[in-house]
Amino acid sequence: MPRKLSFIFLLLFIVSLFPFEGKAQEFYGLKVTTSKWAYSDRDTFLNGLVTKELLEELDSIYKKTPSTYEFVYSKEENKLKVFIHCSLDFYSIIDGKLIKEYRYMNRGYTCGPSVFFRDEAYHILGGQGFWLHHVDLLKFDSLLGSWELMQIKNQPLDYFPIGSFHSKKGVTSIFGVYNNLRIPIQEKEDHGYFLDWEQKSWYPIKFETKGIDLAEIVNSNISYLYETQDYGFLISNSELPSLGWRLWVIIEKERGKLFLHHGVNTFDMSESSYFETIGNKISYFDYEMGSATEGKNVVLDLDSLLKNSEEIGQITYLKEPKSSTYPQGIYVILLVLVLLTLGGWWMVKRKNKKVSNTSQSPLDEPKLSAAGDEVIQGLIHCLVHFDGERLTTETFDGLLGIDQILNFDSKRIKRSRLIKAMNANYKEKKGIELITRIKNPEDKRFVYYKIKF
């Protein structure tokens, strides 16, 4: 009998050494802003996986083109990677050293994507730029050192969400806008979409809530979505006292249930220079009022927040593809117009071969007013991270998304219009201009652009 009991205890001990198959892997995520992360006085992130020395090395590489670094850690492979937003640069971190995996120099509309590891590969989903938005799915090919576009059925065109979260069945992208100045289109999305990973197809979703119109609040105010292991965390600068000052909604990722948090919620995390997520805890830097460098490190535990939250609804996942936001026939009309324009231009050119290139009109671009307030607000938000800094013309053009314009005069005109629009927008709300030009003291022919919030 004692020998039998000893065997049972030994068996139970051995089993306890191995995690249950259904146990969720701990979620790791980190986003930091070039050089701004240092204000937090933290030497390491993600339990020591990301060090101060590693971040300083990235800062030295991207000093002239400040950006957001997003770290992705796979516990399955015990590998740490970093993606550089607004570019396609992708690195492995081995023994604390950066090893660049992306082998090309391409840049694109890759600001603000969702970066994740799935099916033994790294992916980025979506992106935005000045001219258009999208939810393209790119998969990293480690052999070629490049990002490859994956074909997805029923993809919504020109759409970019305020954020996405990942579940076992796929990716849920919520709210956001449709933006393409070439058509042009500028519309809000009142719900969102679900990327079914197995079907490789997009389907619409619907927010069904009681006592609160989430779409109205989110689309009328600056809003963000953050992801933890089990939740999506939606915050909005709503300033609605009936909701506890700021809107905080916790979304259960697997079930799609929505919970409204009750309390004196804040919006301070939106300006943080870093976002660290371990499990269901989010760490960020809360700046002191009026300071660009001083503040404190704050931790939010979403498991604890859920205990003081009220269930208000559900995300319903629909099974039929959503019809296009705008008629497909518009492409036929646009194609005909383009062909007629090219035909007319060709005939004129044949009749007058002596017309010089300098006499031709610059590329016709949609007027800035067509961009709407949403684009201007987006550009202003991008500049928040550069408060108090003096940016060179090259860096400033890159942030505005006009660095690819080859014609100097066209680029200068576009830059001037954007500065004027952003200053007018910011002055109307804050009473001061956001951007000022400062002469380079060493060479008066050149200027800096100073950002002041």
Side-chain angles (χ1 to χ4, degrees), residues 337-396:
L337 290 174
V338 169
L339 291 175
L340 289 174
T341 302
L342 290 175
W345 173 81
W346 180 74
M347 292 180 67
V348 170
K349 187 174 181 180
R350 284 193 62 186
K351 292 180 179 180
N352 190 5
K353 292 184 179 180
K354 296 182 179 180
V355 176
S356 65
N357 291 331
T358 55
S359 66
Q360 295 177 8
S361 299
L363 180 64
D364 185 26
E365 298 174 344
K367 293 183 179 179
L368 182 62
S369 58
D373 187 60
E374 182 70 28
V375 173
I376 298 304
Q377 289 282 6
L379 290 173
I380 291 175
H381 177 69
C382 288
L383 296 177
V384 167
H385 301 301
F386 307 96
D387 182 25
E389 294 191 10
R390 295 190 305 174
L391 306 177
T392 63
T393 301
E394 291 77 12
T395 299
F396 191 58

Side-chain angles (χ1 to χ4, degrees), residues 180-215:
N180 189 335
L181 298 186
R182 295 181 177 90
I183 293 178
I185 180 174
Q186 182 94 37
E187 295 181 6
K188 303 281 188 179
E189 168 55 50
D190 289 337
H191 299 280
Y193 295 89
F194 173 69
L195 171 55
D196 187 307
W197 196 256
E198 183 178 351
Q199 299 291 331
K200 291 298 186 291
S201 179
W202 286 97
Y203 296 100
I205 63 173
K206 184 177 181 181
F207 279 83
E208 297 182 317
T209 56
K210 55 183 179 181
I212 180 174
D213 188 342
L214 274 182

Side-chain angles (χ1 to χ4, degrees), residues 326-339:
Y326 42 88
Q328 293 293 327
I330 192 171
Y331 289 112
V332 178
I333 297 173
L334 286 174
L335 179 60
V336 171
L337 290 174
V338 169
L339 291 175

Side-chain angles (χ1 to χ4, degrees), residues 108-111 127-134 160 179 375 379 400-401:
Y109 298 96
T110 54
C111 293
Q128 62 178 333
F130 178 74
W131 290 104
L132 57 81
H133 293 172
H134 67 87
F160 185 75
N179 183 68
V375 173
L379 290 173
L400 298 182

